[in-house]
């Protein structure tokens, strides 16, 4: 009798899980928002922690290429705008770590994963910003690609992530405009300035196309994430939207996209682009991009340099609770 009860229990639990999973999927299909305290399949939780933490790390590491130019911005106005942009990226990282915390992922653990090289962040931030025009190209193209990917995330099925994305997208939109305006100034400047803008576009274009992730056929998470309405568009669909939006912008600037195969397909109304170098993408993901090591070292150094701030905050909190207890 006792053994029978033990054997029945896992079967009953499995039926209950299957029922819950079915109800969960029905909520997703009905466009209901999933909130932190709702039941969710463990795999849904893990997928979100993976994506949100990678996204948070991207925002944090993403400060480094541009942060490098704050002291060298060509005017006070440019410096103020760049400083605000880099601070915004930091804020995005913090909202996103907070969203991951609602899924029981501790911020300390996520930070450790990043600093020990166990976590991913966007491939794009492993490329160097070598001239001032790169700051224009990053805002125009990197933030432009980020918006294309993030607008649909405002409708993601997980409430805390979707809500965080609304403000992030508004700020990314300002970033994109400030980048485009830098490019416009350079393109209307001297011959050397325009050449600098073209050179930046040549170096950032292909890595930006890689930001959207592997082609659909090689994207291992897309099918499940689409069923769960975490992803609303495929990697290739978003990449195509980005290309279609950016080609006329490059034309307006009088710049040439570094892709001889780029052509307008009148039948589909889309710009077709040349082959992306997926070997380069794999190399960057494997840690062999131009700046992978520098980026992690800079993050570790910032963490170590901030030790006194954490210690002071902990001492202050201890003092406050002692006072309250007294
Ligand atoms: N870099 O199966 P999928 C920004 C990985 S924020 C590195 O297609 P998924 C703001 C992927 O993680 C930029 N790894 O994966 C800013 C997976 O590996 P895993 C970040 C990549 O998740 C601007 C594997 O490949 N934005 O720029 C990349 O369904 C300026 C297989 O891929 C986000 O994170 C990549 N580019 O789709 C800041 C948005 N692509 O985890 C500062 C949210 C793919 O199995 C300055 N994330 N991988 O080891 C997403 O929308 C998705 O996660 C995708 C990838 C679309 C990135």
């Amino acid at each position: 009798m006792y053994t029978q009860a033990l054997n029945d229990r896992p079967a009953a639990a499995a039926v209950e899980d299957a029922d819950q999973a079915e109800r969960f999927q029905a909520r997703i299909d009905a466009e209901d928002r999933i909130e932190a305290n709702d039941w969710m399949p463990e795999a849904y939780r893990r997928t979100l922690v993976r994506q949100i933490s990678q996204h948070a790390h991207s925002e944090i590491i993403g400060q480094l290429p541009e942060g490098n130019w704050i002291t060298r911005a060509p005017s006070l106005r440019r410096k103020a705008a760049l400083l605000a942009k880099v601070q915004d990226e930091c804020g995005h990282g913090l909202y996103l770590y907070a969203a991951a915390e609602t899924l029981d992922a501790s911020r300390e653990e996520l930070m450790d994963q990043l600093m020990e090289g166990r976590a991913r962040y966007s491939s794009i931030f492993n490329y160097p910003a070598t001239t001032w025009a790169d700051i224009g190209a990053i805002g125009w193209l990197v933030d432009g690609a980020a918006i294309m990917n993030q607008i649909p995330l405002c409708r993601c099925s997980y409430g805390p992530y979707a809500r965080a994305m609304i403000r992030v997208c508004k700020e990314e939109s300002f970033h994109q405009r400030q980048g485009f305006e830098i490019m416009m100034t350079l393109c209307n400047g001297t011959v050397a300035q325009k050449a600098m803008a073209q050179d930046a576009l040549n170096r950032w274009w292909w890595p930006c196309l890689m930001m959207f992730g592997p082609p659909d056929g090689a994207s291992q998470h897309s099918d499940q994430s689409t069923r769960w309405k975490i992803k609303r568009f495929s990697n290739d669909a978003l990449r195509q939207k980005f290309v279609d939006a950016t080609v006329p912008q490059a034309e307006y600037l009088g710049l040439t996209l570094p892709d001889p195969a780029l052509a307008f397909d009148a039948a589909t109304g889309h710009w077709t682009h040349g082959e992306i170098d997926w070997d380069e993408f794999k190399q960057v993901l494997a840690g062999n991009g131009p700046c992978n090591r520098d980026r992690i070292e800079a993050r570790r150094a910032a963490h170590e340099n901030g030790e006194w701030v954490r210690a002071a905050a902990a001492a202050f909190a201890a003092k406050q609770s002692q006072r309250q207890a007294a």
Side-chain angles (χ1 to χ4, degrees):
M1 189 69 179
Y2 178 69
T3 323
Q4 179 66 35
L6 268 185
N7 285 343
D8 283 353
R9 228 183 283 153
V15 170
E16 197 188 329
D17 271 4
D19 278 356
Q20 278 182 312
E22 210 171 293
R23 280 200 298 276
F24 176 83
Q25 189 60 48
R27 286 188 64 193
I28 302 259
D29 294 343
E31 298 286 337
D32 210 357
R33 277 271 162 85
I34 307 301
E35 297 298 336
N37 291 331
D38 294 347
W39 185 89
M40 61 185 78
E42 177 54 19
Y44 177 80
R45 190 188 72 80
R46 274 202 313 266
T47 295
L48 280 168
V49 171
R50 177 185 65 78
Q51 177 166 326
I52 297 172
S53 63
Q54 288 178 359
H55 193 166
H57 298 328
S58 305
E59 302 280 1
I60 297 298
I61 297 288
Q63 295 172 89
L64 295 170
E66 289 167 288
N68 189 31
W69 277 91
I70 291 172
T71 53
R72 290 178 284 166
S75 70
L76 187 59
R77 179 174 158 261
R78 293 291 186 206
K79 184 167 175 153
L82 184 59
L83 198 56
K85 178 192 192 293
V86 172
Q87 283 175 341
D88 285 351
E89 307 299 2
C90 183
H92 299 170
L94 299 184
Y95 307 148
L96 287 162
Y97 286 125
E101 280 175 322
T102 68
L103 294 157
D104 288 337
S106 96
R107 190 177 296 214
E108 289 74 18
E109 168 56 17
L110 296 179
M111 273 291 166
D112 285 348
Q113 287 175 4
L114 176 62
M115 286 184 293
E116 288 162 16
R118 292 186 282 127
R120 288 207 193 289
Y121 56 86
S122 182
S123 48
I124 194 73
F125 302 117
N126 291 306
Y127 291 85
T130 51
T131 71
W132 173 251
D134 289 27
I135 301 307
I138 293 174
W140 172 35
L141 300 172
V142 177
D143 285 274
I147 299 171
M148 208 49 102
N149 165 277
Q150 289 172 9
I151 293 274
L153 287 174
C154 298
R155 293 190 294 120
C156 151
S157 59
Y158 187 56
Y161 190 26
R163 286 190 290 273
M165 278 304 112
I166 294 171
R167 178 162 172 181
V168 168
C169 285
K170 286 187 179 154
E171 291 176 351
E172 300 294 23
S173 164
F174 148 66
H175 300 166
Q176 198 267 354
R177 278 151 193 254
Q178 71 84 40
F180 190 77
E181 205 247 341
I182 291 175
M183 293 303 268
M184 220 156 64
T185 307
L186 290 172
C187 290
N188 290 328
T190 63
V191 171
Q193 283 172 325
K194 185 157 185 190
M196 198 198 274
Q198 180 65 57
D199 171 62
L201 171 59
N202 294 349
R203 284 179 292 106
W204 288 92
W205 176 247
W206 291 105
C208 280
L209 295 192
M210 295 175 197
M211 279 178 77
F212 294 91
D216 291 352
S219 163
Q220 74 234 41
H221 302 297
S222 275
D223 287 349
Q224 185 57 69
S225 291
T226 305
R227 262 194 300 278
W228 279 330
K229 301 195 192 237
I230 295 170
K231 272 184 153 172
R232 297 278 178 169
F233 295 96
S234 76
N235 297 357
D236 285 335
L238 289 173
R239 194 171 3 252
Q240 184 64 56
K241 273 173 181 272
F242 174 72
V243 173
D244 289 343
T246 311
V247 171
Q249 294 169 1
E251 271 172 12
Y252 182 81
L253 290 171
L255 296 176
T256 309
L257 290 166
D259 178 359
L262 193 73
F264 187 70
D265 180 346
T268 61
H270 294 299
W271 285 89
T272 52
H273 58 81
E275 200 47 46
I276 294 171
D277 183 352
W278 292 114
D279 285 339
E280 177 180 322
F281 177 70
K282 283 183 199 147
Q283 281 301 319
V284 175
L285 260 60
N288 303 321
C291 300
N292 294 57
R293 279 180 203 91
D294 289 354
R295 298 299 185 226
I296 297 298
E297 265 167 35
R299 180 82 279 280
R300 275 199 212 117
H303 190 74
E304 280 161 24
N305 289 339
E307 176 55 35
W308 69 272
V309 179
R310 290 189 296 281
F316 180 66
K319 215 190 235 176
Q320 266 191 327
S321 65
Q322 266 170 12
R323 274 202 203 120
Q324 267 164 6

